Amino acid sequence: QVQFVESGGGLVQPGGSLRLSCAASGSIFRIYAMGWYRQAPGKQRELVAVITSGGMTNYADSVKGRFTISRDNAKNTVDLQMNSLKPEDTASYYCNARPAALDAWGQGTLVTVSS
């Protein structure tokens, strides 16, 4: 069983930065590729960043160059550093394995980018 708990969201001005954190429970976190996902009101959930168990990363075109995903397998955590935030980044952000584990979705953390 794996469960994820997200934190670090909040209100930030356009152009600002925010760092999200995800803590995982479970004994086999280190073997999973991990992703950060986001869902804006009225829209489908989308994958924004992925990091493999070995540390290779990929990003959605919409966030490439602005977001950085990282992980610490010893601490069972995965972070998302978000820079140069835009209003269209406003969403609830979730972490999960990639592919996502159906029963592992957490509560998410809300990011609001507004002046």
Side-chain angles (χ1 to χ4, degrees), residues 2-53:
V2 178
Q3 184 179 359
F4 303 106
V5 179
E6 302 90 348
S7 63
L11 176 64
V12 64
Q13 295 181 335
S17 297
L18 207 59
R19 188 176 184 90
L20 307 183
S21 295
C22 171
S25 62
S27 61
I28 56 173
F29 169 81
R30 65 181 180 85
I31 75 171
Y32 291 103
M34 291 292 300
W36 278 96
Y37 304 74
R38 69 185 181 188
Q39 186 169 27
K43 297 184 178 180
Q44 294 291 311
R45 183 156 49 208
E46 63 176 335
L47 179 69
V48 298
V50 174
I51 185 166
T52 70
S53 60

Side-chain angles (χ1 to χ4, degrees), residues 35-74:
W36 278 96
Y37 304 74
R38 69 185 181 188
Q39 186 169 27
K43 297 184 178 180
Q44 294 291 311
R45 183 156 49 208
E46 63 176 335
L47 179 69
V48 298
V50 174
I51 185 166
T52 70
S53 60
M56 296 184 65
T57 60
N58 279 291
Y59 301 90
D61 288 342
S62 60
V63 307
K64 188 180 291 289
R66 300 188 297 120
F67 290 11
T68 302
I69 188 171
S70 60
R71 70 190 296 163
D72 186 336
N73 289 339

